[in-house]
Structures are given as C-alpha cells and as structure tokens.
Amino acid sequence: MQSNGIAKDPVIQRQHFLNVPFDIIKFDDVVELIAATRNADGFRYVVTPNVDHVVRLSAHAELKPLYEAAWLTLCDSKPLVLLARAMPLKLPRVTGADLTACLFGTVVKDGDHIALVAPNEAVVARMRAKFPRLSIGAHVPPFGVGNNPAELAKCVDFVVREKAAFTFLAIGSPQSEKIAHAIAMDGRAVGTALCIGASLEFMTGMKRRAPRWMSRAGIEWVHRLATDPKRLWRRYVFSVLPLLRLTLAEFRQRRTARVPASR
C-alpha cells in the first residue's frame, strides 16, 4: 500500500518475512534512490525494522499498517538476515545508523534544510554543532507522544511547516513510525522522512555503536546489552521465544508452499 503518492521503483521487490514487509534492495541502491527522489513531490517515509520491531508487530497487529504504508522498509538486523537465509530468502541489511551517516556524507548538502524530531535538546545542539552549514529545524516531543493525539498532531504540524527535504525521526519505535504514518495520512508534508532510532546519537558521539566486527558477526546486540543492561535485558530475554515461534511458523508456511498439491 502506497498512501504517499510516491511510486516505488518497479525493480524493488517487497517480501513478507515473519509477517513484516521488507524491500529487497541493497544499501547503495537505497542511497541512490533517496538521492534521485529528493526533489519529488509529496511525502514518503522509510522504516528500518529489526528483531524488536518484528516481535512487537507479532503482538500488536494494529501497528503493521505503519510498515506496509512505508515507501521503503529496510532490514536493520543481522539475525533477521541470517534467519531469512535459512528459508531461503536473501534479505539485504540496511541499518538506520549506516544509512543516516551515509546520507549526511553524500546526499544532504551544505545549505539544505532538514528537520529533526529528536529525543532531547542535547541531540539537537550536537547536530547543529556538527553540521553548521545546514539549516536545522527541530522539535522535541514529550515522552509517550505515540499515544498522545495532541502531541502527535504537533509533530505532524511541525514537519508540515518545515518543508524540509529530509526529516529524521529519532525518538525510537513505534513512536517514530506512528508520527511518519500520521504525516503521510495528513497529506500536506513534503520530503523524505526516515525512522532511524538512535542514529543521531551514534553520529554525534553521544552513544557508541558496537565495533564493526560485532556488527558483521550479528552480535551487535551483545554490545548494546553490555552498555545498557538495565533497560535492555528484559527486552532481549522476552524476544527469544516469540522470535523462535515466528521463525518456525514461517518455515512451515514456506515448506508447505513448496510442496505440490496431491492429485
């Protein structure tokens, strides 16, 4: 479903894996596509689901339309890539952190106007210090904005007013996705919005990403758990069984689909 008026490149194939949509498009092609459409009419948004998103969607089906309506939905998880490969399904990995850093290094140009929906004022200050040649508009919504219609409407109005080429929604999931979907449904905004989690904090040095070798090995979650155990241990522990159930169900479904019907 494309509600934003921007046609998806016809060569991009959208697959559903673990009941979540994913676009089969490589990192460089994502960057090229975003660059090529930066002046397109209308509004579009990009989501980057990982294991946490997948498990949440399995329990809250009402969130699935937020992902189905996205212009691009990109896999931000090496464990999901490895699970997909066992199906077999080739799922490219495009992390929100890597994509954000690349866009600021290539597609976002000096003098551009961008908009931030940020977790706090410190992130905004760091971004303005790091990119003094950009015009940066910012809005810091209160905690729980995703369940507060009045505050959600303020986020929509902010993005509409800014008319930015790029909007970075950096307040975590599913708040960022709810805001992006609400903007798309409103119909007045322009530009490309990206739901990119803590990417701005990584880029400004406020948080440290896992070493590259851990990311390549698919154990980036170990680094995150070690740096924030009180907040994350429960999330990771309680994600294991739902993810296992979803994977087994996916495998059975795909195996059944491959078996020819008996005559």
Side-chain angles (χ1 to χ4, degrees), residues 100-109 131:
T100 302
C102 183
L103 291 178
F104 274 91
T106 58
V107 178
V108 178
K109 307 294 186 182
F131 300 101

Side-chain angles (χ1 to χ4, degrees), residues 25-186:
I25 177 173
K26 295 180 180 178
F27 185 93
D28 290 345
D29 294 329
V30 171
V31 175
E32 183 178 342
L33 181 59
I34 291 174
T37 57
R38 60 169 289 151
N39 295 318
D41 294 334
F43 175 82
R44 53 217 170 268
Y45 68 95
V46 180
V47 296
T48 54
N50 57 25
V51 169
D52 187 44
H53 297 222
V54 168
V55 172
R56 184 184 299 113
L57 285 174
S58 71
H60 299 280
E62 71 276 9
L63 297 176
K64 190 175 179 181
L66 312 185
Y67 294 79
E68 295 286 0
W71 177 52
L72 291 174
T73 173
L74 309 170
C75 179
D76 190 342
S77 170
K78 185 63 176 287
L80 291 181
V81 170
L82 296 175
L83 289 174
R85 191 177 299 169
M87 292 300 143
L89 172 64
K90 191 172 183 180
L91 194 61
R93 186 186 183 203
V94 181
T95 72
D98 289 333
L99 179 59
T100 302
C102 183
L103 291 178
F104 274 91
T106 58
V107 178
V108 178
K109 307 294 186 182
D110 288 353
D112 276 351
H113 180 61
I114 67 168
L116 309 179
V117 177
N120 52 62
E121 294 291 350
V123 170
V124 177
R126 289 283 189 102
M127 287 294 294
R128 285 174 172 156
K130 186 176 180 67
F131 300 101
R133 296 184 180 181
L134 295 179
S135 168
I136 299 178
H139 177 64
V140 179
F143 182 79
V145 61
N147 297 316
N148 186 325
E151 292 297 337
L152 193 63
K154 290 180 182 179
C155 292
V156 173
D157 290 341
F158 162 72
V159 175
V160 170
R161 287 196 309 271
E162 291 298 305
K163 294 183 173 60
F166 299 100
T167 298
F168 295 89
L169 305 173
I171 58 170
S173 178
Q175 288 74 224
S176 293
E177 290 80 8
K178 286 183 176 182
I179 292 170
H181 186 257
I183 297 167
M185 294 300 100
D186 179 83

Side-chain angles (χ1 to χ4, degrees), residues 10-23:
V11 304
I12 301 174
Q13 181 186 14
R14 175 162 288 190
Q15 290 274 347
H16 284 75
F17 176 59
L18 305 178
N19 296 322
V20 178
F22 290 99
D23 291 317

